[in-house]
Amino acid sequence: MKFDSTLIELLQNVKSVVIVTGSGVSAESGVPTFRGADGLWKQYRAEELATPGAFFANPKLVWEWYDWRRGIISKAEPNPAHEIVATMEKYYPAFLLVTQNVDGLHRKAGNEKMVEIHGNIWRVRCVEELKESYLYDTPLGSIPPKCDCGALLRPAVIWFGEQLPVDAMNTAMERIQKCELLVTVGTSGVVHPVASFPLLAKSSSAAVVEINVDETPITSISDFSLKGKAGEVLPELWNAVTGKD
Ligand code: OAD
């Protein structure tokens, strides 16, 4: 892919970067996305699986779906897109990764300066005591899993209709307002509040770059839109930035 020289200079000169990722960044690791042709929401109804109401109505069904997804994720490895995002964290003096992904692959690739604003699929929360812990068993021994106190455990992820973690949101908004460059990778840009992050960056005079296989609502407000697979575009882009191409 041939990159605009202004884009390469921008990436070489900025000091403060926020990267926002969605499920598309993990697609090449074999983790299904939510929207699009093979997306999970084509096959399943979000309101039956990803809301608090759905969970309390049928915890077994919701947990079976999460158990299936945990099984897929347990076999997945970070792909070249995750690797470059981890490299970028070390390169930029001010860096934050905001991910909507619950798969933990960014952390596995080495990112530490990150907020998982939709939670993490390996964490569970007791619905009575509200305490959280990691539960790595896959497949789960018994479904639905229970806390030692006897109450239900739920996945510690954000479901539709639930508030995002306040600390993570504040960190994300604060850093986006201060950054010079925001890069979105593999997100459809339709789920709020993340959908509004590119606009927030623009209103604070940051440049916006989008990497996606398709056009999204972010495309038209992006300064640069790079169409292609994240696992291919990001390594090529980074080679151009670091003079390795
Ligand atoms: P989506 O499934 O909505 O969007 C995935 C995006 O990735 C799409 O725009 C695809 O075009 C793009 N894409 C697919 N493969 C790609 C690849 N190899 N390289 C680059 N782009 C690729 O996923 P999210 O935007 O993450 O929330 O969705 C946001 C939230 O909606 C999720 O966190 C989840 C979902 O419902 C909850 O469950 C609460």
Side-chain angles (χ1 to χ4, degrees):
M1 187 181 260
K2 188 92 193 89
F3 300 105
D4 193 315
S5 59
T6 332
L7 168 64
I8 300 304
E9 279 162 31
L10 176 73
L11 279 152
Q12 285 169 337
N13 295 324
V14 291
K15 302 270 177 282
S16 132
V17 173
V18 173
I19 300 191
V20 176
T21 64
S23 63
V25 79
S26 295
E28 290 153 84
S29 295
V31 182
T33 62
F34 294 93
R35 295 171 187 79
D38 301 322
L40 292 170
W41 297 150
K42 277 267 155 35
Q43 226 181 319
Y44 303 96
R45 287 164 60 87
E47 55 275 35
E48 283 169 12
L49 294 166
T51 66
F55 178 74
F56 286 107
N58 197 341
K60 187 166 178 288
L61 176 77
V62 171
W63 263 117
E64 278 166 356
W65 190 63
Y66 274 89
D67 193 36
W68 169 71
R69 285 179 59 205
R70 285 160 58 103
I72 294 172
I73 291 168
S74 71
K75 294 184 194 81
E77 290 298 330
N79 67 54
H82 296 107
E83 307 289 352
I84 298 298
V85 173
T87 303
M88 290 171 81
E89 174 174 316
K90 296 194 182 74
Y91 185 90
Y92 292 109
F95 178 94
L96 183 71
L97 168 63
V98 181
T99 187
Q100 299 164 91
N101 298 347
V102 296
D103 58 31
L105 289 180
H106 282 299
R107 207 175 290 278
K108 211 169 174 183
N111 281 105
E112 287 171 2
K113 296 175 183 170
M114 62 180 287
V115 285
E116 294 175 306
I117 50 168
H118 285 172
N120 186 297
I121 202 161
W122 299 110
R123 280 180 81 76
V124 292
R125 183 163 68 243
C126 170
V127 300
E128 287 297 331
E129 301 171 315
L130 306 181
K131 65 177 187 204
E132 287 193 11
S133 55
Y134 283 99
L135 178 61
Y136 289 108
D137 303 358
T138 172
L140 287 162
S142 67
I143 293 182
K146 301 261 177 66
C147 178
D148 292 342
C149 78
L152 281 172
L153 289 171
R154 61 161 279 179
V157 299
I158 305 299
W159 282 326
F160 289 102
E162 292 188 309
Q163 187 132 35
L164 269 62
V166 176
D167 286 354
M169 264 304 283
N170 286 345
T171 305
M173 309 255 297
E174 205 177 286
R175 298 296 285 279
I176 288 165
Q177 280 164 314
K178 282 199 229 147
C179 77
E180 295 164 276
L181 171 66
L182 180 136
V183 184
T184 72
V185 189
T187 179
S188 58
V190 296
V191 176
H192 281 277
V194 173
S196 64
F197 287 174
L199 268 180
L200 181 64
K202 287 231 79 141
S203 67
S204 319
S205 307
V208 172
V209 175
E210 176 184 52
I211 300 172
N212 199 304
V213 288
D214 276 330
E215 287 205 1
T216 74
I218 302 166
T219 311
S220 60
I221 64 147
S222 298
D223 297 275
F224 300 95
S225 167
L226 308 177
K227 214 166 169 185
K229 290 185 174 178
E232 294 169 7
V233 175
L234 263 173
E236 282 182 43
L237 178 66
W238 201 246
N239 279 345
V241 170
T242 53
K244 286 187 192 142
D245 63 342

